[in-house]
Amino acid sequence: MGYMLVDEGGGRVYSIPAGESTAGRAEDAQIHLAHPSISRHHARFIHDASGLWIEDLGSRNGTSLEGKALEGRTALQEGVTLTLGHLEFVLQHGPVGAVPEPPAPPIREKARATQPITERPGRSDLSAIRSHAAAPASPSAESSGSSSVAFIAFAIGALLGALVFLAWLRLG
């Protein structure tokens, strides 16, 4: 029977080998955790006849057990929550090589409409207004609506630029 770190957020499972093992970002770490919040040699696990122990190796983002920072070598029990850097794991005990079932996704109810979606009130009034609008001066004038918006935006930008320039001249 061995121990496993189960990353419930990401669904990954890391086996903790018997003896001493290092968890970290370094390639030589027996438990390789490739995450920016994990130090190269973040924590040490000691798995011997007396049980499983963990100690932080002076990591930058720390190691905590059930939300409390580790102080020295600490005994671990199945089901506890370990946080290494910004990664959260649950410690599970089972046959070596066994992969626990992934956690069920949280149930989130979608908001349901109580009434069918219909056309917004007053929408038909807009089409009536459009039909009574003045005819375009040229056939391409109707398609140039977006260009007139662009021109207005350009004119406002030019005006603001001129005001900033005049203010600069006045202060200088």
Side-chain angles (χ1 to χ4, degrees), residues 26-95:
E27 291 297 323
D28 65 342
Q30 291 80 14
I31 303 167
H32 188 250
L33 304 171
H35 190 273
S37 70
I38 301 294
S39 296
R40 288 187 311 252
H41 297 103
H42 197 97
R44 177 180 297 128
F45 288 93
I46 301 102
H47 184 196
D48 58 20
S50 64
L52 182 64
W53 306 79
I54 186 171
E55 60 185 341
D56 187 76
L57 297 175
S59 63
R60 181 177 182 189
N61 291 311
T63 304
S64 62
L65 174 64
E66 299 293 341
K68 296 179 184 172
L70 291 183
E71 293 181 17
R73 185 186 255 190
T74 305
L76 297 174
Q77 303 294 321
E78 181 179 11
V80 296
T81 301
L82 277 171
T83 306
L84 282 76
H86 299 292
L87 301 179
E88 192 169 278
F89 302 94
V90 173
L91 183 68
Q92 292 190 3
H93 192 247

Side-chain angles (χ1 to χ4, degrees), residues 89-153:
F89 302 94
V90 173
L91 183 68
Q92 292 190 3
H93 192 247
V96 176
V99 177
E101 289 223 10
I107 298 172
R108 294 187 180 137
E109 280 197 38
K110 293 182 180 176
R112 294 191 179 129
T114 55
Q115 297 176 354
I117 298 173
T118 59
E119 197 171 335
R120 290 186 296 182
R123 195 76 166 160
S124 58
D125 297 339
L126 289 176
S127 59
I129 292 170
R130 285 187 188 129
S131 65
H132 294 296
S138 68
S140 64
E142 192 170 276
S143 64
S144 67
S146 62
S147 62
S148 62
V149 171
F151 175 76
I152 291 171

